[in-house]
Amino acid sequence: LFVERDRKISCRHVRGLNKKRMKEYKIWIGGSCDYGHKERAGAATCIIEHEGQTLRKDMVSDLHTTEFRMMLTLMAKTMAELPEDAELVFLTNAAYIQNFDTPPTSKSANPDLILQCINEKKRHHSVSVRIALSQESAPHRNARPFYRSDEGT
């Protein structure tokens, strides 16, 4: 509870004021890898939206890699390039990137990129990953896409 000259202002009210000032970016991200060839080409792409407008599209790719590595690379790059103290929401169908900010262990794949994501996340007010469900799984044919948050919302 915040007190201002015998007047109490609820935390919820203060959070609401801060949220209006924050810049929220929605980042639709996906990746793929061709495991069928020895070159094993991988790529990830994203669409960055702010206030309902597409700001830009981005992509990374490489040979002899994995989809997970490309997704983490693009997440770290995007977090580094967007303005500090923003709210970033990554929307994806790849559940394995939900733990992008869990400190790596000796068994973790891509610990270098996980650490980079953890460091870039510190620049922002919040960074979350939400699972986007395809329109085909929506109950109505013309329904808008929806998502399930890793935070349970």
Side-chain angles (χ1 to χ4, degrees):
L1 217 50
F2 295 89
V3 180
E4 179 185 334
R5 291 191 188 192
D6 300 328
R7 193 175 118 207
K8 294 181 180 180
I9 302 171
S10 72
C11 292
R12 186 178 355 164
H13 178 72
V14 173
R15 277 193 300 254
L17 290 174
N18 289 339
K19 188 163 180 85
K20 289 178 185 175
R21 292 183 205 141
M22 296 263 176
K23 289 192 172 192
E24 181 184 73
Y25 295 86
K26 290 184 180 176
I27 303 114
W28 297 87
I29 187 168
S32 184
C33 187
D34 182 2
Y35 293 98
H37 293 87
K38 66 179 181 175
E39 295 86 7
R40 203 164 77 179
T45 188
C46 71
I47 299 170
I48 302 169
E49 295 179 350
H50 177 61
E51 296 181 350
Q53 300 295 315
T54 298
L55 296 181
R56 70 170 204 251
K57 300 173 184 177
D58 203 354
M59 185 190 87
V60 295
S61 62
D62 205 355
L63 296 175
H64 308 288
T65 191
T66 63
E67 174 182 342
F68 184 41
R69 185 158 187 85
M70 293 293 92
M71 298 265 290
L72 289 172
T73 299
L74 190 54
M75 287 178 74
K77 179 180 186 290
T78 301
M79 285 189 273
E81 292 174 352
L82 288 175
E84 288 187 26
D85 205 33
E87 290 184 354
L88 309 183
V89 180
F90 286 92
L91 299 148
T92 185
N93 66 348
Y96 56 82
I97 67 168
Q98 287 181 318
N99 298 325
F100 75 95
D101 57 351
T102 300
T105 67
S106 61
K107 295 182 180 183
S108 297
N110 307 301
D112 58 327
L113 290 171
I114 293 170
L115 290 173
Q116 190 176 348
C117 284
I118 290 169
N119 286 332
E120 292 300 339
K121 180 181 176 181
K122 293 174 187 175
R123 297 178 57 247
H124 299 286
H125 178 72
S126 69
V127 180
S128 62
V129 174
R130 294 185 180 169
I131 302 302
L133 302 174
S134 70
Q135 240 180 320
E136 289 79 33
S137 64
H140 303 289
R141 190 171 145 205
N142 294 325
R144 293 175 48 193
F146 56 99
Y147 55 86
R148 178 178 63 232
S149 170
D150 63 336
E151 300 163 343
T153 57

